Each structure stands twice: as structure tokens, then as C-alpha cells.
Amino acid sequence: MTARMDGDPAATPVRVTVSTPAAKGEPTHLRFLEEAAAVTGDLLAGTMSAIRAGRLGHGLWHPTGFATFEIAQVASLGLVRVHFWPHGLRRGLPGHPSIHQHCFRLYSRVLAGEYRESQYEVVGPGLRDTREVPLGARRMRVYEVRPTEVMGKDELHETSEYLDVVPTLRAARFPAGTWHEVPVRTFHATPIARNRFCVTLALLSLPVPGAADVLLGQPGGGSSVGMRRVVSDGEKELMCRQFIAAADVAAPAHGSPDPR
């Protein structure tokens, strides 16, 4: 599943072939991938230079443990962010569900390290105590994310619903220089261990009408409201040092940026 390129290992992303949901083939999703590839390509050199220079700007820790830094807001397309999973450092919320789906589409270039992706398919509503869990499936409690008007504020509510899900992708590996995608309404998780390192340049589409942010976890997590922790200057310095070290040892590769 690895790929190699000439020159900068993140300059020309090549696709890693994996089995992902059929939703990828929808014309709207394919158009988003093409536009996202072009936009992130235009922003790539400046973003990598900014990281090397230690100019990451304001960052927030996502509840699942990685750091996010906003790069640009692209009209009619979406938000561009840098995502960091630093080696030896995570700031997630204890017990926060890791499997989730977004109300937006996601395209992401792997700038350094190795990204890992798991995806899940819903095979039916989990009717607790009235139906057996299908073979190979997991029955999980549904948590809904309610929108807030405050930057960095998360409002999570445990529902009484369950879903049965089966994995369609198990910790697929995406090395530096490749790209990955998450179609809207696709349950996924990023099993990047604490002793691993990864940096991506991601484009999050505008919200898709009718879609919602939903998490799947164990029952009893309850509901919560909280503010995301700000990434400290020391943490940013660590991330930039790790990025430089990882980028400098990455091997060159060959490939095409065309996401189709």
C-alpha cells in the first residue's frame, strides 16, 4: 500500500488503493475530491514552510486526541486545516467515543508520518435485548453532536439508540505522500497510536444538507458540554521539530495527484 515520489514526499500525493464505501463514486463527491486536491496543492508549499518555520498559529486539541490548526476558509468549498498526531503526545477526552461520522466530506494529504484509517458500515438498528447482534458486528450507543455558536465548544448528547456496525476498513495505512478521503455519513476512526506520528493537510467540505455529526461508543458515557484545549507554544514547538525530523528522512516517491 506504500507509494514513492520524486522530490518533496508530500508535493505530489499518490492514491493508496483500499476498499472504501460506494459513496465515493457519487459525482458530487468526486467533484469535491478534485477541487480539494487542487486547493490543497496550491496551499501545500506555504503550509509546509510555515510548519518548518514554527508558524502554526492558533491550535485546538480535538476530543479524540489530535491537534488542529486552521489554514484557510475556501468560499463555496470548505475549511482547510493541518491535523497533527504528535509522537508521544495526545490530549483527548477520556472515554470520548472514537468512531464517528461527519456532516461534511473530507480530503486529506499526508504530509509526514503515517495516517491510519478504519471505516464502518451500519448493518441495522441495534434493538437492545430484542435482537441478536449480527455476526461480525458491534452494537454501539449513538451519541449526537449538537452545534454551538462558540468556537471550540463541543456539546455531546447520549441518546437511547443503538446501531450495529461492521468494519469495512481495518487500520489502513497511508504513508507520507499519499491521500485519503472520508465520504459524508461514513463512520470512521483514526487508530494512530501514541507512539506514532502523523501530519495531514485536510479539507473539510461545507456541511452537507441532511447530514449530522454522530459518534458511536459504549453506553453510559452521558452528555457533556466542554471547550477544546488550546495547543500551547511548547506543544507547537514539539510538533514542528517532529515534522522537520520526519520530513527530512522521508523517502522520495513517484505518483499522480489525480484523486479519481
Side-chain angles (χ1 to χ4, degrees), residues 56-75:
L56 275 174
H58 181 74
L60 295 173
W61 286 102
H62 191 276
T64 56
F66 65 97
T68 68
F69 300 87
E70 292 193 10
I71 300 299
Q73 182 75 51
V74 182

Side-chain angles (χ1 to χ4, degrees), residues 191-210:
I192 302 173
R194 188 185 180 93
N195 64 348
R196 298 288 181 177
F197 174 77
C198 181
V199 184
T200 66
L201 180 61
L203 201 155
L204 292 58
S205 80
L206 297 175
V208 175

